[in-house]
Amino acid sequence: MKKISIKGTGSYVPKRVVPNSYFEKIMDTTDKWIISRTGIESRRMIEPGQALTDLATPASERALEMAGLSPKKLDIIIVGTSSADMLSPSAACILQHRLGAKNAVAFDVNAACPGFIYGLAVAQKFMQDGSYHHALVVGGEVISNRIDFKDRSTCVLFGDGAGAIVLEHSNGNRDGEILAIQLNSDGDLWNLLHVPGGGSRNPPSYQMLDAGLHYVKMRGNEVFKYAIRTMVDAARNVMKSKRITIKDIDWLIPHQANMRIMEEVANRLEIPMDKVIVTAHKYGNTSAASIPTALDEAVRSGKIQRGDLVLANSFGAGFTWAAALFRY
Ligand code: COA
């Protein structure tokens, strides 16, 4: 089977910064409460009229530029998202159009926050047998227009963004390698975190909007517990599959949901926080965008270097959870 490596990374977040003080003005909350319960200080949100591919396109262009690859060379584009520009077609097809990636097959993967790792797993399968040579995998989300700005327990958590990677077949020792990926789902837990409106069960209607069914509904305390348990399990399983121990890991990139969740995951895995990549304080929870955005920032700042062993893990609505182990 062919080895696959990451040739380029890119990310893009909207320009509009929304600090905690914004929420202090519109609801009964404080900067202090938000920071102490989540570690989030600010997040980025789109301007009215913007949509997911307005973030995914510059993120992808940056990844392609780093890889030195023309979009026409892409064989496959996968976007992990649950907030495509439209219900149909996929964000991946709109992204293909915007990039001019004429020769790619393009589709979305909806696995909520682990969508990027799910997309990576699909790309890996398509590339391993050698039939596809170049893949673009994006994790992106626009959640700011699906949160209820009257619900203080959800609206302070989320932000918008997109991250992308370009994958190629590995050429030799200096290249990194995707080593292992673990995907998991438990549909019995679907109602812990969901957006009930806008699909075929509660189709768009004035009644649906009046009932606020288009907003994120979450049972925060339960999500919190499952988040820790599932991210730790996924990380342990993916390491075990390659007989790698936590001491071998150079960097952990956890889903950037909440600082307390990340700290507890690091604590249980026994990895020090100075090996954990953190962006949640400035971007909040950007769902499928959180891992590729954090990866790109860590690569561009020089933290993550060629050859480093990286473990990424995530959880989200579904319930879904996943982990990826790769040498950058
Ligand atoms: N400001 C002030 N008070 C708030 C608040 C806010 N923004 N949000 C909730 N509260 C209040 C609650 O109303 C509750 O008040 P009450 O005791 O009078 O009813 C109190 O704080 C404690 O609520 P609780 O839900 O127990 O707080 P918590 O410490 O569990 O923190 C979350 C709430 C949402 C931050 C936390 O549960 C969490 O992070 N869950 C995981 C969410 C997540 O990661 N989702 C994304 C998955 S991809």
Side-chain angles (χ1 to χ4, degrees):
M1 279 198 292
K2 299 261 185 195
K3 291 183 180 174
I4 294 138
S5 66
I6 299 175
K7 284 295 165 77
T9 65
S11 60
Y12 184 84
V13 291
K15 292 192 170 52
R16 186 158 72 99
V17 180
V18 179
N20 291 345
S21 56
Y22 170 81
F23 296 98
E24 289 181 318
K25 288 181 203 133
I26 62 166
M27 59 177 49
D28 181 15
T29 191
T30 60
D31 175 49
K32 201 172 157 205
W33 190 96
I34 300 169
I35 291 178
S36 69
R37 306 315 287 161
T38 71
I40 299 166
E41 295 163 21
S42 65
R43 67 290 289 145
R44 303 295 184 94
M45 291 187 184
I46 57 162
E47 302 289 350
Q50 285 189 302
L52 177 66
T53 60
D54 298 324
L55 315 182
T57 304
S60 302
E61 286 168 345
R62 289 171 186 180
L64 286 161
E65 189 187 11
M66 189 190 283
L69 193 78
S70 157
K72 292 194 174 53
K73 291 263 188 191
L74 288 172
D75 300 304
I76 181 165
I77 299 173
I78 302 173
V79 180
T81 190
S82 51
S83 52
D85 296 23
M86 311 174 192
L87 275 180
S88 181
S90 67
C93 281
I94 296 177
L95 180 62
Q96 174 190 25
H97 159 71
R98 293 184 66 168
L99 294 173
K102 286 271 177 221
N103 301 308
V105 60
F107 56 89
D108 291 352
V109 171
N110 180 348
C113 304
F116 172 75
I117 299 181
Y118 270 62
L120 181 62
V122 177
Q124 183 194 34
K125 294 283 176 211
F126 273 113
M127 293 178 76
Q128 267 172 341
D129 70 0
S131 47
Y132 287 149
H133 296 275
H134 300 107
L136 174 69
V137 181
V138 179
E141 217 80 72
V142 170
I143 311 189
S144 61
N145 51 24
R146 287 179 304 140
I147 45 178
D148 183 352
F149 281 84
K150 293 194 179 79
D151 176 3
R152 64 182 182 171
S153 63
T154 54
C155 71
V156 300
L157 302 176
F158 296 101
D160 305 330
I165 59 170
V166 171
L167 298 170
E168 277 183 17
H169 290 142
S170 172
N171 286 324
N173 293 338
R174 278 185 57 77
D175 278 356
E177 186 184 348
I178 309 297
L179 296 169
I181 300 176
Q182 282 266 328
L183 306 180
N184 308 270
S185 316
D186 184 354
D188 289 348
L189 302 174
W190 70 267
N191 63 351
L192 292 188
L193 180 56
H194 63 296
V195 179
S200 55
R201 185 160 305 281
N202 297 292
S205 67
Y206 292 117
Q207 293 91 320
M208 184 275 281
L209 291 172
D210 287 346
L213 297 181
H214 54 304
Y215 292 134
V216 172
K217 313 285 178 199
M218 184 178 72
R219 286 162 35 192
N221 283 321
E222 286 170 75
V223 170
F224 193 96
K225 284 180 219 151
Y226 279 108
I228 292 168
R229 204 177 302 160
T230 56
M231 284 216 287
V232 169
D233 281 354
R236 283 188 181 140
N237 288 337
V238 83
M239 285 190 289
K240 200 172 160 195
S241 74
K242 287 285 161 189
R243 293 198 186 84
I244 279 169
T245 69
I246 200 73
K247 291 194 175 56
D248 303 317
I249 302 292
D250 294 302
W251 298 103
L252 174 67
I253 310 181
H255 173 38
Q256 307 286 312
N258 174 323
M259 205 57 213
R260 288 190 297 145
I261 293 175
M262 289 191 277
E263 282 171 353
E264 186 53 24
V265 168
N267 178 37
R268 291 192 192 185
L269 290 174
E270 297 182 39
I271 187 162
M273 279 309 286
D274 60 5
K275 286 184 165 191
V276 181
I277 306 289
V278 174
T279 59
H281 57 295
K282 53 183 181 173
Y283 300 144
N285 178 349
T286 58
S287 185
S290 82
I291 286 174
T293 305
L295 170 66
D296 178 53
E297 290 204 359
V299 164
R300 286 176 191 264
S301 70
K303 257 188 180 178
I304 294 184
Q305 304 264 336
R306 278 287 171 205
D308 283 356
L309 189 58
V310 182
L311 172 63
N313 55 352
S314 185
F315 71 96
F319 222 67
T320 53
W321 62 103
L325 187 64
F326 58 90
R327 205 165 276 289
Y328 174 65

